[in-house]
Amino acid sequence: MAGPKKAGAGNRLERNDRLIRLALLVVAFSAVSVLLVITVFIVGQGTPIMFRYGFKSFLAGSDWYPSEKLFGLWPMIVGSLFVTAGALAIGVPFGLSCAIVLTEFASKRVRGLIKPVIELLAGIPSVVYGFMGVVILVPFIRRTFGGPGLSVLAASIILGVMILPTVISISVDALQAVPPSYREGSIALGATRWQTVKMVLFPAARSGIIASIILGMGRAVGETMATIMIAGNAAEIPRSLLAPVRTLTSNVALEMGYATGEHREALFATGVVLFVIIMVLNTIANATSAKRRKAP
Amino acid sequence: MKHRRTALLLFALVVAFSPACRRPGGGSELILAGSTSIQPFADKWAEVFMQSHPDFGVNVQGGGSSAGIQACKSGACQIGMSSRELKGDELDLVAVVIARDGLAVVVHPSNPVRALRTSDVKQIFAGDIMSWRPLGGPDKRITVVTREEGSGTRGAFQELVMGKTRIFRGAITEDSNGTVREIVANDPCAVGFISLGLVNEQVRALDLDGAAATDENIGNGRYKLVRPFLFVSRGEPAGRAREFIDFVLSAAGQELVRKEGLLPVR
């Protein structure tokens, strides 16, 4: 207090600086700790029941009747895989074609039009996709192919559209990261543009494209609202594309409201399975994109 | 600098006091939680009740019968709403029947099948009858729509129709009366079960064992799919909970029950 005014101001600035740095650090760690809390909570709530009934009855059991203490998740695990595979079968060819067109064939004006539209697609809430599915797609499938309409097919199509933005934007980044000299060299050797894409750009951007597919997969596995609305949620392994299916996410969201006791624990166990699947996917995606950064 | 400090102080004050504002039931609020089948009716009662008791807040929440009963046990709400009978460790709660509700087995209005035996319904939901043909309908696969495990409506259906038999795994599963009705209203081959009070012109309620799903047939016991709507509380309801239950059981409250398509108990 007795010191000269100037030094006091300097001290204060320094102190402010330290305070802000500390505050930012706390914020950063709170994000990490949220993940930690989620992990601890889900694992803590979900695994005891798995130990009690045995992992095998959980993961391989095909009867989901919580009121009779039967907690077989196998139909939901298979259901999630089917729906995700279906979404990829639809989303990946469309997404990659779109990415190629955007980077290689579209004029600047067309690109300036399409890219924001695709980004907009990512901003549409999933409940809207679900609603469109229920109102337009499901009746269409029921009338054209028969069955209840609420089906693997409907879920695959809607999820396929939902993963488009992820697949497209990451593949576009990967394709754009290929050095121009590759492109120029290929053209100079007499390759056509399509040959250049197929034989030079694709292999060069491969790891980025794979990462885009895996992230799209993560989105499809994790999607809940749209799936609940259009998949029909039958807890049985679907025998055809037109049969209803229940995914892991739907299983949790569908029954969460009413579940108590062991039923509730079993839903947490569903969460654990889902968590492991998502973690594996994310790790693979990170590993492939890390490789891309090191050796382009 | 001064302004910034004032703003910071204000912000801190807001943060410090906001949880206090959000504390549920702070003061004069009565909380009801539970069955989503009862929720819309409870909302109606609460609305009318609060018109005559403007200082008396009634907060109606969903969550399902089991969750409502648990919430009541733990004291998170004063009144739990259950659309099934209490069982097991729930029996130490006090239950008041405030209305009865019929369960309707509903089909698409274009379905030629108008009546079934309860045993047929059981076989349909068990997955033993897969086509409408043996029931007098077209040779089309039946789309069976059920509710999710834990739902009070499913519990009542299981008890009243299925007994020990399971609802088969391939049945489409939805998490509300509304969605079941929506699916049945759009699929000519579908069959589902919903609260009788929620049947509208989009779906048709089937006659069961020769009795149409009407209030009269429920009253004289010919239509068998009936479940109680319960208000449960820890110990005899007292204070505001008592006042609200008395209102629901009064002539005015029960008249609302009738108007909304339920069966009055008084």
Side-chain angles (χ1 to χ4, degrees), chain B:
Chain B
M1 202 66 177
K2 209 171 176 189
H3 283 292
R4 205 185 300 168
R5 204 162 286 170
T6 321
L8 253 168
L9 191 72
L10 265 176
F11 179 70
L13 277 174
V14 168
V15 169
F17 284 99
S18 54
C21 310
R22 276 188 277 117
R23 187 167 47 210
S28 61
E29 204 173 41
L30 176 69
I31 302 175
L32 284 77
S35 166
T36 49
S37 309
I38 310 181
Q39 196 183 359
F41 308 114
D43 276 331
K44 267 272 161 23
W45 281 315
E47 194 187 315
V48 175
F49 186 71
M50 282 190 287
Q51 279 168 7
S52 52
H53 299 70
D55 57 327
F56 192 125
V58 181
N59 179 352
V60 182
Q61 299 167 0
S65 297
S66 302
I69 294 166
Q70 285 308 317
C72 174
K73 268 194 127 165
S74 71
C77 65
Q78 290 95 317
I79 298 179
M81 306 182 286
S82 171
S83 49
R84 58 165 174 78
E85 299 281 4
L86 300 182
K87 60 189 181 192
D89 63 343
E90 298 162 0
L91 285 165
D92 53 347
L93 295 167
V94 176
V96 184
V97 181
I98 46 133
R100 283 176 210 286
D101 180 31
L103 265 184
V105 177
V106 290
V107 295
H108 194 268
S110 74
N111 196 319
V113 176
R114 302 283 157 91
L116 288 177
R117 285 170 304 173
T118 308
S119 58
D120 296 331
V121 176
K122 182 174 172 179
Q123 279 183 291
I124 292 173
F125 280 85
D128 295 333
I129 299 179
M130 303 289 269
S131 164
W132 283 109
R133 193 177 183 131
L135 305 168
D139 189 14
K140 292 232 172 91
R141 198 183 153 97
I142 302 175
T143 306
V144 180
V145 189
T146 181
R147 291 290 305 280
E148 83 285 11
E149 282 266 355
S151 124
T153 315
R154 178 175 173 140
F157 184 81
Q158 179 80 43
E159 200 176 297
L160 296 166
V161 177
M162 303 304 290
K164 295 262 176 251
T165 314
R166 284 178 190 164
I167 294 176
F168 80 119
R169 291 188 304 215
I172 284 179
T173 312
E174 296 295 332
D175 59 359
S176 72
N177 275 303
T179 6
V180 172
R181 186 176 66 192
E182 196 59 31
I183 288 174
V184 173
N186 285 307
D187 186 342
C189 300
V191 61
F193 52 85
I194 60 174
S195 228
L196 187 57
L198 294 170
V199 173
N200 62 6
E201 67 289 345
Q202 292 178 290
V203 294
R204 173 184 287 122
L206 293 176
D207 299 0
L208 290 182
D209 300 321
T214 59
D215 296 357
E216 198 192 346
N217 281 337
I218 290 175
N220 62 29
R222 289 181 58 213
Y223 187 84
K224 293 283 193 294
L225 296 195
V226 187
R227 57 178 172 158
F229 276 3
L230 305 174
F231 274 2
V232 301
S233 58
R234 276 199 299 192
E236 278 299 322
R240 293 182 174 276
R242 177 83 260 165
E243 261 182 77
F244 187 68
I245 293 178
D246 284 344
F247 164 73
V248 168
L249 292 175
S250 71
Q254 292 291 302
E255 184 52 37
L256 269 176
V257 167
R258 205 190 315 274
K259 241 194 253 165
E260 299 292 329
L262 298 179
L263 296 150
V265 285
R266 294 253 164 110

Side-chain angles (χ1 to χ4, degrees), chain A residues 83-193:
Chain A
V83 167
T84 307
L88 291 181
I90 288 158
V92 169
F94 272 94
L96 289 189
S97 326
C98 195
I100 292 168
V101 169
L102 280 180
T103 50
E104 305 304 320
F105 298 105
S107 67
K108 223 176 184 164
R109 259 185 56 209
V110 174
R111 201 180 312 158
L113 195 74
I114 294 182
K115 233 182 151 198
V117 171
I118 287 163
E119 274 151 21
L120 210 64
L121 212 57
I124 297 176
S126 58
V127 65
V128 174
Y129 282 104
F131 192 62
M132 298 303 283
V134 167
V135 173
I136 297 168
L137 188 63
V138 167
F140 173 78
I141 290 176
R142 183 169 54 232
R143 276 196 301 268
T144 330
F145 304 110
L150 302 153
S151 55
V152 181
L153 183 64
S156 299
I157 293 174
I158 292 291
L159 287 179
V161 175
M162 290 180 74
I163 66 171
L164 276 181
T166 313
V167 174
I168 293 172
S169 58
I170 297 175
S171 314
V172 164
D173 287 347
L175 286 170
Q176 276 173 347
V178 176
S181 55
Y182 285 31
R183 223 175 253 114
E184 287 153 10
S186 167
I187 303 275
L189 286 172
T192 63
R193 288 185 90 169

